Amino acid sequence: MSTAVDIAGPSSSDQAHSSAKIPNAPLRPSLKRSNHPYSLSHYISTPSQAMDVKGLIQPSPAQQRAAQPAHTKPRRTPSWPDMWESPSGLHLAHAAELLMRAGLLALTPATTEQANLGAQSSQPVKREAIEARGGKGDGEGSGSGPEEEEEDSSGCGTDFQPFLGAWFPFSPALFPLAGFQMGGGHWRSAAMGTEGIEGLVAEGYSPGSLGAGSASRRKRKRCGECVPCRRQTNCDQCSSCRNRKRGHQICKYRKCEELKRKPGGPGFESRVSGFDLRGSDFTLGLSQERSNGVLDG
DNA sequence: CGTAACGTGACG
DNA sequence: CGTCACGTTACG
């Protein structure tokens, strides 16, 4: 791939004309206000450092420094595989903790501290995730302690979101690990037994739209984080652009990856793999982990 | 109310 | 499957 994310579009006469109509920030403020490490503008205005999708997803060194207390030894930049490489399995533990906090995973009190943590903060975490995504809750983060903030930005949390295209703070690989089952496009937790609201949330429905009955017709919202969503400008060349007046469609190159998928469509699993995780060394990292014996009980 | 854009169905 | 067209929803 040519380093740069296809933000410039098919050929890029864009910026000039289309920006007249298209606001600089196509996303709702609520999206822009998400807890993500970078603001939207950051994504678009960092031409100097060749950035690819992975580059966008993993926290920048600067951000890590911010997220890490100074005394931590200078970890080399955690690439995706790195997250799974941790010999101590800390990242996995972390992910499990996130699961617990979300109330999705009931672990034995082996990790009591974490269990306690989960018990007291499962609710805030859910709301946090939701609000970060476009909930109108204005979520300025008053609900989340600094600790959580730090953890989320340290690599295990929201960083997975872009790949999942959903509101998941953890990797798909954790599903099997944590005893999750896939099915029917939703996932369910062994602990819960039934589809949680998060299952639907993962389908791209905003919580607000889950309310009574009319959910079927509800509009889903752009994830705001996939490459197309990050694009600022219309290409003015695609059918959607050319046909804007009557088509009422967003530029094809700006069409959210998540919205392209049918809500009830193919299984979540296939969607995840369809998102080109394979090329991301992610699975490789996992198998490495296995061969390292880290994952084997 | 105007605009942007999602959902959906029809068409080729 | 891609495109077009329209209804509808969401938001400023």
Side-chain angles (χ1 to χ4, degrees), chain A residues 31-105:
Chain A
L31 277 178
K32 284 187 291 185
R33 245 175 320 191
S34 79
N35 290 340
H36 264 266
Y38 295 149
S39 68
L40 183 68
S41 55
H42 175 99
Y43 287 124
I44 331 174
S45 63
T46 46
S48 53
Q49 90 195 55
M51 60 182 186
D52 56 9
V53 175
K54 278 188 248 177
L56 288 172
I57 277 152
Q58 66 180 235
S60 77
Q63 201 219 324
Q64 283 167 40
R65 254 175 278 128
Q68 273 178 356
H71 64 264
T72 354
K73 65 178 167 185
R75 263 207 319 223
R76 68 200 158 94
T77 56
S79 62
W80 263 59
D82 279 357
M83 295 206 219
W84 299 93
E85 245 171 44
S86 150
S88 64
L90 268 182
H91 289 301
L92 288 174
H94 188 131
E97 179 188 345
L98 286 170
L99 277 171
M100 285 190 300
R101 288 199 205 175
L104 300 175
L105 184 62

Side-chain angles (χ1 to χ4, degrees), chain A residues 21-280:
Chain A
K21 256 277 174 77
I22 305 304
N24 243 6
L27 300 178
R28 289 171 206 73
S30 51
L31 277 178
K32 284 187 291 185
R33 245 175 320 191
S34 79
N35 290 340
H36 264 266
Y38 295 149
S39 68
L40 183 68
S41 55
H42 175 99
Y43 287 124
I44 331 174
S45 63
T46 46
S48 53
Q49 90 195 55
M51 60 182 186
D52 56 9
V53 175
K54 278 188 248 177
L56 288 172
I57 277 152
Q58 66 180 235
S60 77
Q63 201 219 324
Q64 283 167 40
R65 254 175 278 128
Q68 273 178 356
H71 64 264
T72 354
K73 65 178 167 185
R75 263 207 319 223
R76 68 200 158 94
T77 56
S79 62
W80 263 59
D82 279 357
M83 295 206 219
W84 299 93
E85 245 171 44
S86 150
S88 64
L90 268 182
H91 289 301
L92 288 174
H94 188 131
E97 179 188 345
L98 286 170
L99 277 171
M100 285 190 300
R101 288 199 205 175
L104 300 175
L105 184 62
L107 282 188
T108 58
T111 51
T112 34
E113 287 177 12
Q114 293 174 351
N116 288 339
L117 227 176
Q120 75 188 94
S121 66
S122 74
Q123 204 63 21
V125 165
K126 269 186 206 171
R127 285 206 22 236
E128 196 182 350
I130 283 163
E131 286 172 357
R133 264 321 117 132
K136 318 183 71 167
D138 190 41
E140 49 357 276
S142 64
S144 62
E147 221 180 328
E148 282 176 10
E149 201 89 33
E150 185 175 322
E151 286 173 6
D152 273 357
S153 53
S154 71
C156 280
T158 52
D159 293 325
F160 287 109
Q161 287 173 350
F163 276 132
L164 284 169
W167 308 2
F168 272 90
F170 37 75
S171 154
L174 282 175
F175 285 92
L177 287 175
F180 279 93
Q181 303 167 349
M182 305 290 190
H186 294 169
W187 50 266
R188 57 182 60 206
S189 125
M192 290 178 71
T194 60
E195 267 175 24
I197 191 173
E198 290 82 1
L200 292 172
V201 161
E203 292 295 326
Y205 291 106
S206 74
S209 68
L210 289 178
S214 64
S216 59
R217 195 77 176 179
R218 273 303 85 133
K219 269 185 170 182
R220 291 177 297 164
K221 292 179 182 175
R222 319 171 60 185
C223 72
E225 291 168 17
C226 61
V227 172
C229 277
R230 287 193 210 115
R231 279 202 61 174
Q232 257 187 316
T233 54
N234 294 331
C235 70
D236 277 357
Q237 293 167 23
C238 69
S239 60
S240 296
C241 284
R242 280 174 298 162
N243 197 27
R244 173 148 299 115
K245 267 288 182 291
R246 271 135 99 182
H248 304 165
Q249 292 297 312
I250 192 172
C251 169
K252 285 171 80 170
Y253 296 93
R254 294 178 61 218
K255 181 75 174 181
C256 173
E257 293 285 354
E258 189 58 27
L259 291 180
K260 284 177 189 169
R261 306 192 162 101
K262 286 257 198 302
F268 191 68
E269 208 169 4
S270 65
R271 279 189 259 166
V272 167
S273 57
F275 210 95
D276 231 11
L277 273 180
R278 289 148 303 188
S280 71

